Amino acid sequence: HSHVIFGVDDGSPDEATSLGLLKMSAACGVTDLICTPHVLDAGRSLNWETIVKKTKELQEMADAANLPIRLYPGAELEMNWELTDILVKGGGQYCLAGSRYPLIELPVMIPERMEEFIYELQVRDLIPIIAHPERNQKLMAQPERLLEWLKRGVLLQCNGGSFTGLFGSSAKHNAEMLLQNRVVSFIGSDAHRLERRNTDLTQAVNRLVELAGDAEKREITELRPRNLLDNTPYSGTVPERLQMLQKETKKKSFWQKIFG
């Protein structure tokens, strides 16, 4: 999950930024990166052929700079019923690396018919991945509904920055809760620019090790991504219920205790 293709969405604005993001990504150990520009209107303003073409051009730039990184076309698809018209059976166009895994971004308000939408993707032999669910407060307030999606085979991709506090304390808390429950299938940089929200996943990966250990970190950053790139089915272990984390509360000062 990255917005490193320049000039197509709110991500990289120019070639220099894109190349800088790729250098940063390679420097932190990333070997394979999927370009996922926003597709907001079922491919009318940004079609699959353009994404493939621009990914190839970016790969040529990376090769010319001797960067040891492989790029793949993909998309971050705005949840929209029109997606059922452009996502074909068995995957390919608009899916991550041309696989059977589409990356879906939810609206702020979760659609009432979301379960039906998931079903429509799955009858097309697709495995939907929800992008950064930890940042969607409406969804995270409905853990039973999220758990039902997981039991249906939906996968989750958290942003690396959520584990480091980049998106605020709520997203950090939610990401840690999902990780504790072992339902985070992938992490992504969701990189847009060189400053702050970039492709350096070093701190995020270190945080994964602290919270879940080396074995789970390897599953999230190596084994499951390889499944995706090989276009092989993957289904995680889903708990019977999601264990909630206690939110940290700041200790009150002496005067706060007196005055509330």
Side-chain angles (χ1 to χ4, degrees), residues 98-109:
S99 67
R100 54 195 288 207
Y101 292 82
L103 181 69
I104 308 295
E105 182 176 35
L106 299 176
V108 174
M109 300 300 295

Side-chain angles (χ1 to χ4, degrees), residues 1 103 129-135 140 146 155-163 167 171-172 174-179 183-190 201 204 208 220:
H1 185 177
L103 181 69
I129 301 172
I130 302 299
H132 45 71
E134 75 282 1
R135 290 170 51 197
M140 297 308 297
L146 175 58
L155 303 179
L156 306 182
Q157 174 263 306
C158 288
N159 283 1
S162 295
F163 292 100
F167 298 98
K172 184 174 186 289
N174 294 337
E176 291 181 354
M177 181 276 290
L178 295 171
L179 183 65
V183 294
V184 177
S185 292
F186 313 96
I187 66 165
S189 68
D190 197 3
L201 286 168
L208 286 184
I220 293 171

Side-chain angles (χ1 to χ4, degrees), residues 115-116 118-119 122 147-154:
E115 288 75 15
E116 185 179 341
I118 290 170
Y119 171 78
Q122 292 179 326
L147 184 61
E148 178 60 30
W149 296 1
L150 293 169
K151 289 179 177 178
R152 289 169 178 244
V154 170

Side-chain angles (χ1 to χ4, degrees), residues 68-86:
I69 193 165
R70 292 177 294 272
L71 305 180
Y72 305 84
E76 183 179 10
L77 300 163
E78 178 188 48
M79 189 275 163
N80 186 314
W81 275 95
E82 290 183 321
L83 292 180
T84 57
D85 296 326
I86 67 171

